[in-house]
Amino acid sequence: MRADPQVARFAVLQDAAEALLDELAERYMVDRRESKESLGAADALVRLERLMPRTPAAAPLAIAFTETPGIALRLGRWWVETLPGCSCAVCDEDPVQLVELLRLQAAALVEGGLWERVRRGVGGSWYESRLIGVGINARREGPLTREDSREARRSGFAAPVQWAPWPARPLKETSGPEEG
């Protein structure tokens, strides 16, 4: 079975995500973990790569490699970006622009530009996220289940949380001439 060329053009997203994960793992003090997980109850297992900063004050980054081919980017606790949002010819998303969005969002995260909190209201609780960085200033919110809301408050999200910048790896020292 041949891949649909309209959909296959998004394979560049997965290549860019792989390169981004490699760059971030080399540049920052993070642990890299790979697993197979389902993105939803009825979804198939997909490869998921996580970068966990070695300080709990910095937010994790995760990338799921979907069958589209595409990716699902998760920053911190609630920020999720599915790229492409739609792979049909009518929507005609530009893979180059999607790669740029992936890099913009990751850069804002590692610089400490993600802010998250839980808000309580009469109708229930919801999350609120903001991502601010060079070239991006975006906001998201959505409902939380009672269980998710309780767990989030126990984890310190009752007050706004601004995630810290990722810790950079120390520069490699260059050795001088050998003494002898």
Side-chain angles (χ1 to χ4, degrees), residues 57-74:
L61 175 147
I63 297 177
F65 293 82
T66 63
E67 291 183 25
T68 306
I71 61 167
L73 173 68
R74 177 178 287 271

Side-chain angles (χ1 to χ4, degrees), residues 10-64:
F10 292 110
V12 68
L13 280 170
Q14 292 188 343
D15 294 340
E18 290 282 0
L20 178 66
L21 288 164
D22 290 344
E23 290 168 24
L24 294 175
E26 185 177 312
R27 198 168 163 204
Y28 296 96
M29 293 176 48
V30 295
D31 293 319
R32 188 171 181 172
R33 299 183 187 134
E34 182 177 338
S35 62
K36 292 273 187 186
E37 296 184 24
S38 175
L39 297 179
D43 294 334
L45 293 177
V46 296
R47 181 170 66 98
L48 182 76
E49 293 251 0
R50 283 187 177 87
L51 295 180
M52 308 292 293
R54 292 189 185 155
T55 176
L61 175 147
I63 297 177

Side-chain angles (χ1 to χ4, degrees), residues 40-157:
D43 294 334
L45 293 177
V46 296
R47 181 170 66 98
L48 182 76
E49 293 251 0
R50 283 187 177 87
L51 295 180
M52 308 292 293
R54 292 189 185 155
T55 176
L61 175 147
I63 297 177
F65 293 82
T66 63
E67 291 183 25
T68 306
I71 61 167
L73 173 68
R74 177 178 287 271
L75 307 176
R77 189 175 188 103
W78 295 297
W79 189 273
V80 176
E81 187 77 50
T82 302
L83 303 172
C86 179
S87 60
C88 78
V90 174
C91 293
D92 197 30
E93 291 186 82
D94 181 357
V96 173
Q97 289 178 346
L98 297 178
V99 168
E100 184 179 321
L101 180 61
L102 166 67
R103 290 191 159 277
L104 278 174
Q105 290 187 8
L109 175 78
V110 301
E111 294 299 324
L114 181 64
W115 171 92
E116 298 181 297
R117 75 174 177 166
V118 172
R119 295 183 57 143
R120 294 173 69 170
V122 175
S125 296
W126 66 93
Y127 72 87
E128 185 177 316
S129 298
R130 292 189 140 200
L131 187 62
I132 300 168
V134 175
I136 188 166
N137 185 348
R139 180 175 178 233
R140 305 255 170 93
E141 60 181 47
L144 290 173
T145 65
R146 286 180 187 216
E147 298 80 32
D148 287 343
S149 176
R150 273 194 300 271
E151 200 281 320
R153 285 193 303 274
R154 277 189 225 118
S155 300
F157 285 87

